[in-house]
Amino acid sequence: MPNMKMVELGENRSVIRDLFEYGLKRKKEVGAERVYDFSLGNPSIPAPQKVNETLISLIEHTESTALHGYSSAPGDPAVRKAVAESINRRFKRTQTADDIYMTCGAAASLTISLHALLCEGEEVIIFSPFFPEYKVFVEKAGGVVRTVGAREKDFGPDLDAFKSAVNAKTRAVIINSPNNPSGAVVTSEDLRAISEFLKEKQKIFGAPIYILSDEPYRELVYGGVEVPYVMNFYENTLVCYSYSKSLSLPGERIGYIALCHEAQEREKVFAAICGAGRALGYVCAPVLFQKMLLSCLEEKTDLSAYEQNKNLLYRALCDMGYTCVKPEGAFYLFIKAPGGDDAAFCEQAKKHDLLIVPSASFGLPGYMRIAYCVSLQTIQNALPAFRELAKEYNL
Ligand code: PLP
């Protein structure tokens, strides 16, 4: 008999995936243009042209065995060095190639980091609303999730609740900024408060507590909002980065872990990262995409389409009477469920072929997530359905 925990995970797909599959079926029935699918965070902006040009050039000009062969387990040394130098240039750090582990995206960065750090029964603090896979990743690594809420006014971390949650078993804290699903960005002030508190607690407990900074949306910010760089506040930091959203490459599975160069016992922690990568089979991230990064590390997608979508949707929904969290980053709009029951509202929305995600699986019931990484036309077409729903709920 297989491992029943894995059977359960495999059989119970995420709410988001279920909704996405439902959307595919519905599109076949009524036509794609009649289904307003806001379920999945799949980038709608194309990857920068330079990415495609670089890939073509690599294929045409690199000897096949070098192009498609293994790299060393933590990644190509030249790529790791380039990633470190890029971090140093942008965030005034002192990273070296030896602090960088190339991965298959942020999901792999997180699972490797959690396996590297956690011993059975140790706790990981996550802030709700959170990316639902955190629970799966932490529990698979033998850890226990402790959830801390957000402030309702701005969706920043509830610092008092955070301080009460930290205890001698706390081994890591996951910060996700810009946030999926709220779009909120953690301010320097909040980050400083979290860091200073953890520094005190590390001394008291005589053991390190790590911050895992899950930041696939770092570059997706609007209106000049700054996303503070966690290592600049706290040394025991592992940045879990991915190019899935910043370069619109989610299917290519490429990202990295950057262990802060000043982390305590840096060499041991990096060895644990390599060990976890080995144990999980996450070695040698896709080599073609590692090599592409050498030329495209600081390429940017044109965010204007997301910004246009966000502005249109936010204004229109506020005008209709919905209560929306003002998004500062990522490509999600988080809105309060009229009537208070997110599952019931999303079911009602489905009757209008409006596919939005109820928030319970993000650890904060009573809201819905709208992924606005879609065409502007989809948003325009969906507005009458949102208006009908507003009427049905007397907004
Ligand atoms: N973390 C967050 C907050 C995400 O939203 C996602 C994907 O949507 C991931 C991690 C996983 O990203 P990747 O596709 O790079 O594995």
Side-chain angles (χ1 to χ4, degrees), residues 222-255:
Y222 311 106
V225 169
E226 287 232 354
V227 184
Y229 203 61
V230 178
M231 282 184 202
N232 287 335
F233 294 76
Y234 193 72
E235 291 174 349
N236 284 333
T237 293
L238 287 78
V239 172
C240 295
Y241 187 79
S242 153
Y243 295 91
S244 294
K245 320 286 173 167
S246 61
L247 291 184
S248 292
L249 295 172
E252 309 302 354
R253 315 309 299 137
I254 188 77

Side-chain angles (χ1 to χ4, degrees), residues 41 104-110 130-131 133-134 137 176 178-181 214-217 240-245 249-251 253-255 331-332 369:
C104 299
S109 303
L110 286 161
F130 50 76
F131 180 54
E133 298 304 279
Y134 290 163
F137 297 164
N176 171 219
N179 180 268
N180 172 11
D214 177 26
E215 42 186 72
Y217 302 96
C240 295
Y241 187 79
S242 153
Y243 295 91
S244 294
K245 320 286 173 167
L249 295 172
R253 315 309 299 137
I254 188 77
F331 38 47
Y332 306 107
R369 187 191 80 172

Side-chain angles (χ1 to χ4, degrees), residues 334-349:
F334 205 50
I335 71 174
K336 224 172 186 159
D341 183 338
D342 49 298
F345 187 91
C346 291
E347 275 308 305
Q348 189 62 20

